Amino acid sequence: MLLQYGTYAFSGRPMFIVDLTRQFDVTDDDGEHHHYVQVHCELRYEPEADLDALGSFDSWFFHDTDAHLEEWFAVMEGHLALVLDRRPSEIDLYEGPV
C-alpha cells in the first residue's frame, strides 16, 4: 500500500492531491510473478496555504515485512490530520499497470 500527497497541477490547475494506492501481484498459470497492477484513489482538494505547507510525502507499507499495519495506519492518519475534516473537490479512481 502507498500513501502519497502533495500539491500538483496534473489536471492543469494546482490541487492538493492525496493518493491512496493498493498494489496487487498478478501471477501466471504457474504461480510465478507476471506483473503488478495498482488501484489508485485520488482525493483532490482546492489548494490552501496550510495544505501546501505540508509539502510532498510518500510512504509504502509491505505486508511481507516485520512492520505492523495498524502502526502504519496510525502514522499515516497523523499525516492526514489536516484533510480528515475537509471534503475533497474531486475524487478519481483508476487502475494502472506498474
Side-chain angles (χ1 to χ4, degrees), residues 30-75:
D30 296 324
E32 297 296 320
H33 170 76
H34 186 265
H35 66 279
Y36 293 108
V37 171
Q38 291 182 343
V39 177
H40 296 261
C41 176
E42 281 189 3
L43 307 172
R44 299 179 186 149
Y45 300 85
E46 296 299 327
E48 297 178 23
D50 55 345
L51 294 177
D52 291 342
L54 292 174
S56 62
F57 173 81
D58 65 85
S59 178
W60 280 95
F61 177 85
F62 295 97
H63 287 283
D64 58 353
T65 67
D66 291 333
H68 297 281
L69 183 59
E70 296 79 17
E71 293 172 8
W72 185 78
F73 277 138
V75 171

